[in-house]
Amino acid sequence: MIKKLLALSAVLGVSTAVLAAPLVPRMISHDINFGAREDGLNYGMNGLAPDTLDYIARDLDTEATAIWPVWPFAGPFPVLNAAGVFGGDVAMHVDLFAQDAAPPHLDVSMVGVGRFAIRGAVPAMGVPYTTLIDIVLDQVSLYGYSGQDAYVLEGAGVIVNSFFQELIGHSGVIRGNIDFESNPGFTPKYDPTADPRQGRFAVAYSGEAGQGYATPEPTSMLLLGLGAALLRRRR
């Protein structure tokens, strides 16, 4: 299911000249799958302050499942947590501070910045429990259609820390779907710093992270099918 996001982004991206939302991240190496779902209300509507999304670093979480050092030719190798249990830890903080929606294609599109990290052990590669990837995200995009409870969340930035030293200083990306346990009620052209509402929502984020870069597609690519793809993810 996670790998379907690659096809979704590749088909649905448009130029930033028309719509800044889709970053269309492309993986180069060290592709790590994850499915992050924590107890607590981790998406925040904060009145006129930026919306936030947080996953807390906890060494015993079991969120990151496997790594492909060279997708799709090497791997997958299982990722373990600090106790040696299947699944590593995802930590993330995102601030969403503006909107760039372009109806009717996408009427919800938020942009921001953040940081994303995965810690884990990969015994098959001789990697002890450590930081596998840590990305400072200077571009974050959350987009989809109003009134839904599932959206695409992508990001791109610079890898600042990793057991794999060759990655440090290179571009890194994240991509995936966020699923709200209760509908957040995003309205058309929802602006996180102009909407006075406050609220907290539990959010699951499933996707992948690794070395890569954003690749916006030509304006001729249409956004047909995005609504159906997001609706299929609704519970």
Side-chain angles (χ1 to χ4, degrees), residues 135-154:
I135 310 170
V136 173
L137 302 166
D138 54 24
Q139 299 180 80
V140 173
S141 179
L142 183 156
Y143 61 90
Y145 288 122
S146 59
Q148 305 302 311
D149 58 9
Y151 292 84
V152 175
L153 180 67
E154 302 172 336

Side-chain angles (χ1 to χ4, degrees), residues 31-33 61-68 76-81 84-89 118-123 129-130 132:
D31 185 350
I32 307 173
N33 279 8
D61 280 349
T62 56
E63 301 163 322
T65 56
I67 181 171
W68 283 261
F77 300 124
V79 177
L80 309 182
N81 70 10
V85 175
F86 178 66
D89 175 53
I118 292 176
R119 290 177 57 81
V122 189
Y129 186 80
T130 186
L132 301 179

Side-chain angles (χ1 to χ4, degrees), residues 115-116 131 133-136 157-162 167-170:
R115 190 158 183 171
F116 180 96
T131 298
I133 195 164
D134 183 357
I135 310 170
V136 173
V158 177
I159 300 170
V160 296
N161 189 19
S162 175
L167 300 183
I168 297 175
H170 291 275

Side-chain angles (χ1 to χ4, degrees), residues 13-207:
V14 296
S15 159
T16 55
V18 173
L19 180 66
L23 300 175
V24 196
R26 177 173 298 175
M27 298 290 170
I28 299 174
S29 72
H30 297 82
D31 185 350
I32 307 173
N33 279 8
F34 62 86
R37 179 188 294 273
E38 294 183 354
D39 296 333
L41 305 177
N42 47 330
Y43 186 95
M45 285 182 177
N46 301 308
L48 301 182
D51 282 9
T52 52
L53 177 59
D54 290 280
Y55 289 97
I56 299 170
R58 300 187 298 195
D59 288 345
L60 299 184
D61 280 349
T62 56
E63 301 163 322
T65 56
I67 181 171
W68 283 261
V70 183
W71 166 257
F73 305 107
F77 300 124
V79 177
L80 309 182
N81 70 10
V85 175
F86 178 66
D89 175 53
V90 170
M92 179 169 66
H93 175 77
V94 164
D95 291 306
L96 297 164
F97 52 72
Q99 74 89 24
D100 65 349
H105 302 299
L106 294 171
D107 65 353
V108 172
S109 178
M110 288 177 271
V111 296
V113 296
R115 190 158 183 171
F116 180 96
I118 292 176
R119 290 177 57 81
V122 189
M125 299 175 66
V127 179
Y129 186 80
T130 186
T131 298
L132 301 179
I133 195 164
D134 183 357
I135 310 170
V136 173
L137 302 166
D138 54 24
Q139 299 180 80
V140 173
S141 179
L142 183 156
Y143 61 90
Y145 288 122
S146 59
Q148 305 302 311
D149 58 9
Y151 292 84
V152 175
L153 180 67
E154 302 172 336
V158 177
I159 300 170
V160 296
N161 189 19
S162 175
F163 175 86
F164 309 104
Q165 294 291 306
E166 66 273 17
L167 300 183
I168 297 175
H170 291 275
S171 59
V173 292
I174 64 172
R175 61 188 179 197
N177 278 73
I178 63 171
D179 295 289
F180 288 81
E181 290 191 4
S182 60
N183 196 307
F186 291 144
T187 54
K189 302 189 75 172
Y190 171 79
D191 187 334
T193 57
D195 192 310
R197 286 180 294 166
Q198 298 193 35
R200 292 290 183 272
F201 302 87
V203 174
Y205 183 34
S206 58

